[in-house]
Amino acid sequence: MTDETRTETGETETGETGPTDAASTAPRRLPVTDVSLVVLIGTSGAGKSSFARKHFLPTQVVSSDFCRGLVADDENDQSASAEAFDVLHYIVGKRLAAGRLTVVDATNVQPEGRRQLVRIAREHDVLPIAIVLDVPPGVCAERNRSRPDRRLPAHVVPRQHRELRRSLRGLEREGFRKVHVLRGEAEVEAAEIVPEKRFNDLRHLTGPFDIVGDIHGCRSELETLLTRLGWTLVRDDAGRPVDAVHPAGRTAVFVGDLVDRGPDTPGVLRLVMGMVAAGHAICVPGNHENKLGRAMDGRKVTVSHGLQESLDQLAGESEEFRAEVRAFIRGLVSHYLLDGGALVVCHAGLPEKYHGRASGRVRSHALYGDTTGETDEYGLPVRYPWAEEYRGRALVVYGHTPVPAASFLNNTICLDTGCVFGGSLTALRYPERELVGVEAEQEWYAPVRPMHTDAPGAREGRPLDLADVAGRRVVETSLHGRVAVREENAAAALEVMSRFAIDPRLLAYLPPTMAPSATSGRAGHLEHPDEAFAAYRAEGVERVVCEEKHMGSRAVVLVARDAAALEKRFGVSGPGAIWTRTGRAFLGDGALTAALLDRVRAAAERSGLFEELGTGWLLLDAELMPWSLKAVELLRRQYAAVGAAAVGAAAGAALPQVLAALERAGGRGLDVAALTGRQRQRAADAQAFTEAYRRYCWPTEGLAGIRLAPFQVLAAEGANLAVRPHDEHLAWIDRLVEADEARTGDTGPGPLLHRTGRLVVDTTDEASVAAGVAWWERLTGAGGEGMVVKPLASLVRRGAGEGRPGTLVQPGVKVRGREYLRIIYGPDYTEHLDRLRRRFLGHKRSLALREYALGLEALDRLAAGEPLWRVHEPVFAVLALESEPVDPRL
């Protein structure tokens, strides 16, 4: 066992302290790491299965007998052992891959069988632990004789016991990191399994943290950086900093490479070691600490890359201090999981499959990274760009490879900004994701290779990759759990995204579909507010806001205060963008888009929203009118064609002739009154249909005639605003509208921004509900589409509390007017209400909730500063779900 692994795996326990008294009942405490492979070793009849049942969960134990029964229907069929162990090894591998404690219940007395298990543990970077049950052969033989289902030849148990005894002293050499030997029945009975966390598991520490990049002996810059971060330095009698305390209780985290190259390695060590000892900091090792520690222990190393400077500086320190340094370096753990596993800190970076694992391979990657096997023009190894392929949920913060400036790449960030090379010393404030840096006082050490901008972490990287979206996908959301996207839906979305969508770097959000209210039973109505109010009342939502539903096209507006603001967050400079529910550019005219965005930007500036929200950009959810501005082709091909045909038939040919014939027949005394009435109703329905869609169409020229009705401020820099109450959103929108109206004079286009009418309703108050119904009737009676009813609090979860997340409540339901529904269901839909009332809303409601959760997930990731591929993952999923088969009229 090497020093590199000893501190992370624990000391080997062989139990070889001489024979144990069989009558001893002193309990043996057996430490077992929470993620490990426990191999039980003992002869047949030693009590391994009973021991496993007593100390481990049934699901944690994989038994060779059980696997033999799976393949042969007989647990004692020794001829099936090879196939049984194939099954056992497969199950063990799957459990270890999932990070599950796994216990193998088999005799395992032969070295070859143990070697296969150790190999599987190493493949999955977990610790193999041996628990030996050394029970006398006579006891084992007697137990076997008492089992009617087991008949073993007399020579089997003695042979197994001899193999076990020969194995004892070699178990550590075989690769077992802990070996617990229990001798005799009493010691086996008195044994106690003590679960222990991995050394790298600090998930209970949630911060906040100040994570500091590679220091390399630059003590003065470290002092300056800590002071800038708000830390108070503690000095010893000689004036040297030996600790630092933060008034807000923050914890410092050092990513390694404290030593070498710089002017004061002892000073850096003294400060960092003092902070760690006081509990004010934690530290992971860098490759330079690893090499320095081996050199100080007298081991053979190549003195290069600044090691000599550290050795020379430490030579002037006391032996006591040097001993403390050696002990400090030996005790460093390769990487840490923090904040519930949402944060991983290491020196050279770590792929997700290694997070929380413990092996020489994991430690090597954490210290040195991975290389391609090539060298560059400077003779240095070429690092494998693991961060460009990283897709893990945890933020990985690391150093090791100097970069000119720290930036996020695929949820990783490199904090080595080359302080010792004349660059800067950088810290990341977590969870704020705020970078704080100080410039180097000078170039302390000339770099062999100049820092370059294409190093991992120096750029955002590709915002979207085919591998991120192709095939069946499962997106994890904080509000609705895992949302699955079928492969065929992803293919349909990819077609739209690749051929028609705007620059994907800007596509930060797609609006969810909206479910209609429950079907109404009122005479002449398919939808009515009563059902919406009743539904929210049943969900425990007392206060809802009714918002006027504009008959336009849904538009998402990303508007920038200046071009640099978009460049900083999205990597694209410009005024912003406007897109549809499917991610397409709303207006084909770039000049018109720029003019519209300029009006919105001016209103946001004049209203003070940019300043108030502390942002250089805003993301708005809105309706853009008239409907014909975007839907000209739709109107021409579908709705207008239907209306024109109906009206033409009624006014120009068929209906007048039919009515005339019916009137003549009635004059002759025939009973055609009912038929005549139906034909007259058809003519009236066709006319009403045409009038309905014409209300939403008017000519425009440039900005003249265009109306933008925002109803929600979705996001700003560092903030998901969509979860804020709707009255706050509407107040912001009113300010935008007022600012736009104030700008508009007697010349030029009229007002662009349009106010959204609203009414707050108490669902538990009859008078308030009646007022809401009356308001809807006035809107629809005047030709309006209807309204959307939303919980005033915006985000509502039913059953939340006492640790329960609860389930999402519909974020809004639409209640459309009687005449508007003619456009949706046809001119004569009121004659078929009985059939239409059987419409199924379950799938639409499910779809609305899933897309809503995905949209909020995208905004959460955007606000958290996560890389754009992480933001696009739920956005793309919304687009994919839109291809699910749902009645488009709902």
Side-chain angles (χ1 to χ4, degrees):
M1 181 182 301
T2 65
D3 290 338
E4 288 86 351
T5 58
R6 184 177 299 274
T7 58
E8 295 190 59
T9 60
E11 298 292 342
T12 301
E13 301 176 15
T14 62
E16 292 298 311
T17 57
T20 301
D21 182 1
S24 170
T25 59
R28 281 284 306 278
R29 295 171 60 85
L30 311 182
V32 171
T33 308
D34 56 356
V35 178
S36 59
L37 175 62
V38 178
V39 178
L40 301 181
I41 303 173
T43 59
S44 178
K48 299 179 299 301
S49 298
S50 299
F51 185 88
R53 285 194 297 270
K54 178 179 178 181
H55 296 287
F56 301 99
L57 297 175
T59 54
Q60 294 174 328
V61 180
V62 185
S63 164
S64 60
D65 287 347
F66 175 77
C67 292
R68 200 176 285 111
L70 284 178
V71 299
D73 292 330
D74 182 359
E75 293 187 354
N76 295 308
D77 184 355
Q78 298 300 314
S79 67
S81 291
E83 293 80 3
F85 275 95
D86 285 342
V87 172
L88 183 145
H89 294 154
Y90 179 81
I91 296 172
V92 168
K94 288 298 183 182
R95 285 188 58 83
L96 296 182
R100 308 288 185 188
L101 173 67
T102 303
V103 180
V104 175
D105 175 15
T107 58
N108 295 315
V109 295
Q110 296 179 335
E112 177 56 33
R114 295 192 299 268
R115 276 195 291 270
Q116 292 188 61
L117 294 172
V118 170
R119 175 185 55 79
I120 294 172
R122 286 174 173 169
E123 286 177 358
H124 296 92
D125 302 289
V126 302
L127 304 180
I129 299 174
I131 299 181
V132 181
L133 278 63
D134 187 4
V135 177
V139 175
C140 297
E142 180 60 32
R143 289 175 177 173
N144 284 317
R145 282 193 294 270
S146 67
R147 291 181 58 177
D149 61 334
R150 176 169 297 182
R151 290 292 181 266
L152 293 179
H155 71 278
V156 171
V157 170
R159 175 179 57 79
Q160 290 178 346
H161 194 259
R162 287 194 300 272
E163 291 176 330
L164 181 148
R165 281 304 181 96
R166 282 196 297 267
S167 300
L168 283 180
R169 293 189 179 276
L171 291 175
E172 181 184 352
R173 291 192 299 273
E174 290 179 12
F176 288 100
R177 297 300 175 82
K178 293 182 181 179
V179 179
H180 305 300
V181 180
L182 301 173
R183 299 185 184 277
E185 296 176 82
E187 193 163 316
V188 170
E189 182 63 29
E192 177 186 354
I193 299 295
V194 181
E196 64 177 14
K197 293 172 59 177
R198 291 153 286 167
F199 284 90
N200 53 39
D201 185 358
L202 297 183
R203 288 176 293 178
H204 61 284
L205 299 182
T206 58
F209 301 110
D210 291 334
I211 311 171
V212 181
D214 299 35
I215 302 168
H216 281 298
C218 298
R219 175 195 50 78
S220 180
E221 286 88 343
L222 175 59
E223 290 185 36
T224 303
L225 178 62
L226 290 174
T227 302
R228 184 168 297 180
L229 290 166
W231 291 76
T232 301
L233 296 172
V234 178
R235 300 183 183 273
D236 62 12
D237 294 340
R240 300 173 301 187
V242 294
D243 192 8
V245 181
H246 199 284
R250 300 179 72 89
T251 300
V253 185
F254 297 96
V255 303
D257 276 5
L258 311 173
V259 305
D260 294 350
R261 295 177 174 151
D264 192 0
T265 284
V268 172
L269 287 169
R270 184 175 288 107
L271 174 55
V272 173
M273 288 163 54
M275 294 176 68
V276 171
H280 300 147
I282 56 179
C283 182
V284 297
N287 57 301
H288 284 263
E289 280 80 48
N290 183 51
K291 193 172 184 181
L292 175 62
R294 288 186 287 131
M296 294 180 72
D297 286 339
R299 299 168 66 179
K300 186 178 179 179
V301 298
T302 301
V303 179
S304 60
H305 303 301
L307 175 59
Q308 189 61 56
E309 284 81 352
S310 291
L311 293 174
D312 292 343
Q313 292 165 16
L314 287 167
E317 299 291 331
S318 67
E319 178 56 38
E320 180 184 6
F321 180 76
R322 290 196 297 272
E324 291 174 357
V325 170
R326 288 196 297 270
F328 174 73
I329 292 175
R330 287 195 202 102
L332 294 176
V333 177
S334 67
H335 72 285
Y336 283 118
L337 276 66
L338 300 162
D339 192 20
L343 173 65
V344 171
V345 178
C346 54
H347 178 62
L350 207 61
E352 187 176 32
K353 64 181 180 179
Y354 293 154
H355 295 178
R357 302 298 173 118
S359 69
R361 175 169 54 184
V362 172
R363 185 176 178 86
S364 177
H365 199 295
L367 284 173
Y368 302 100
D370 197 6
T371 62
T372 64
E374 303 170 305
T375 57
D376 62 16
E377 64 270 31
Y378 303 98
L380 298 175
V382 176
R383 306 289 177 191
Y384 187 80
W386 69 273
E388 294 186 4
E389 300 176 359
Y390 181 75
R391 294 296 184 269
R393 296 187 61 197
L395 170 65
V396 179
V397 184
Y398 66 106
H400 189 55
T401 304
V403 294
S407 64
F408 289 95
L409 169 63
N410 293 346
N411 215 24
T412 75
I413 186 168
C414 176
L415 295 182
D416 183 0
T417 47
C419 181
V420 77
F421 301 128
S424 61
L425 184 61
T426 300
L428 172 70
R429 291 169 58 86
Y430 178 94
E432 299 89 343
R433 293 196 176 217
E434 175 189 349
L435 292 168
V436 179
V438 297
E439 296 299 316
E441 296 179 0
Q442 67 177 73
E443 183 186 276
W444 300 103
Y445 195 91
V448 175
R449 175 177 56 199
M451 293 187 292
H452 47 91
T453 56
D454 62 346
R459 63 191 188 280
E460 174 67 30
R462 57 180 182 268
L464 191 63
D465 186 271
L466 179 62
D468 297 326
V469 295
R472 184 179 184 276
R473 313 297 301 173
V474 176
V475 182
E476 192 78 34
T477 69
S478 61
L479 295 175
H480 202 59
R482 295 160 64 86
V483 177
V485 176
R486 292 182 295 182
E487 183 174 0
E488 57 269 32
N489 293 8
L494 187 60
E495 174 76 5
V496 174
M497 186 72 73
S498 60
R499 295 184 59 190
F500 308 112
I502 65 169
D503 189 325
R505 291 173 293 179
L506 296 174
L507 198 60
Y509 178 80
L510 286 179
T513 190
M514 182 172 292
S517 63
T519 302
S520 175
R522 285 199 176 204
H525 286 280
L526 187 61
E527 296 176 9
H528 191 273
D530 279 345
E531 283 69 32
F533 296 143
Y536 278 123
R537 184 167 56 248
E539 296 278 16
V541 180
E542 294 185 4
R543 289 170 61 79
V544 297
V545 60
C546 306
E547 295 182 6
E548 173 188 3
K549 195 172 192 307
H550 305 285
M551 184 48 195
S553 299
R554 192 74 169 268
V556 180
V557 180
L558 175 63
V559 58
R561 194 173 192 178
D562 55 58
L566 285 194
E567 176 70 36
K568 178 182 177 182
R569 180 62 183 98
F570 299 95
V572 180
S573 61
I578 308 172
W579 61 88
T580 67
R581 286 196 66 244
T582 55
R584 306 174 189 228
F586 198 102
L587 303 171
D589 187 334
L592 182 58
T593 299
L596 195 155
L597 287 170
D598 184 62
R599 285 286 294 274
V600 178
R601 179 202 58 76
E605 195 73 73
R606 185 186 293 268
S607 66
L609 272 188
F610 284 132
E611 195 71 31
E612 177 181 326
L613 298 175
T615 185
W617 53 267
L618 292 171
L619 191 65
L620 307 175
D621 205 352
E623 289 278 338
L624 194 54
M625 301 171 284
W627 190 28
S628 51
L629 184 66
K630 184 61 182 174
V632 169
E633 286 303 307
L634 178 66
L635 289 167
R636 184 182 63 79
R637 288 185 287 102
Q638 182 173 336
Y639 297 131
V642 174
V647 173
L655 284 178
Q657 294 180 17
V658 168
L659 288 171
L662 289 172
E663 289 173 356
R664 288 194 298 271
R668 294 196 301 271
L670 297 176
D671 185 11
V672 293
L675 181 58
T676 302
R678 284 199 299 273
Q679 295 305 313
R680 285 175 177 160
Q681 184 61 48
R682 285 183 62 199
D685 288 343
Q687 185 61 33
F689 176 91
T690 304
E691 291 174 356
Y693 79 75
R694 282 178 176 168
R695 292 189 188 103
Y696 310 115
C697 309
W698 58 81
T700 64
E701 183 176 352
L703 285 182
I706 294 179
R707 297 288 183 271
L708 181 70
F711 51 85
Q712 194 169 25
V713 183
L714 295 168
E717 184 65 52
N720 175 3
L721 302 174
V723 296
R724 303 278 285 271
H726 282 293
D727 52 355
E728 291 187 32
H729 288 278
L730 294 171
W732 286 330
I733 299 304
D734 287 348
R735 286 166 55 186
L736 286 174
V737 173
E738 292 166 4
D740 183 61
E741 291 174 344
R743 175 193 179 280
T744 305
D746 296 332
T747 61
L752 169 71
L753 299 184
H754 188 80
R755 185 178 184 273
T756 294
R758 81 295 304 258
L759 179 72
V760 175
V761 171
D762 184 342
T763 62
T764 64
D765 181 81
E766 292 185 9
S768 184
V769 168
V773 172
W775 189 71
W776 176 80
E777 290 173 341
R778 289 195 297 273
L779 285 176
T780 57
E785 177 181 342
M787 69 183 184
V788 178
V789 183
K790 307 174 180 178
L792 185 63
S794 187
L795 174 63
V796 176
R797 287 192 274 190
R798 181 182 67 252
E802 297 182 1
R804 300 186 308 273
T807 56
L808 278 178
V809 171
Q810 286 288 348
V813 294
K814 54 189 176 184
V815 187
R816 295 166 290 185
R818 172 187 168 94
E819 293 306 313
Y820 170 77
L821 287 173
R822 291 188 191 280
I823 302 176
I824 305 302
Y825 288 100
D828 57 349
Y829 86 100
T830 52
E831 298 180 22
H832 309 286
L833 284 179
D834 288 342
R835 174 175 56 82
L836 291 175
R837 285 181 176 130
R838 295 193 293 271
R839 59 185 186 168
F840 177 66
L841 301 180
H843 193 181
K844 181 77 168 182
R845 288 172 172 169
S846 169
L847 186 63
L849 283 178
R850 284 179 283 155
E851 291 185 1
Y852 174 61
L854 288 166
L856 290 186
E857 181 68 24
L859 295 178
D860 279 340
R861 297 179 183 185
L862 181 69
E866 296 198 28
L868 292 180
W869 76 265
R870 284 272 295 164
V871 178
H872 293 148
E873 184 185 36
V875 173
F876 185 88
V878 173
L879 183 60
L881 292 181
E882 279 297 297
S883 62
E884 286 197 2
V886 177
D887 185 347
R889 301 172 300 176
L890 295 177

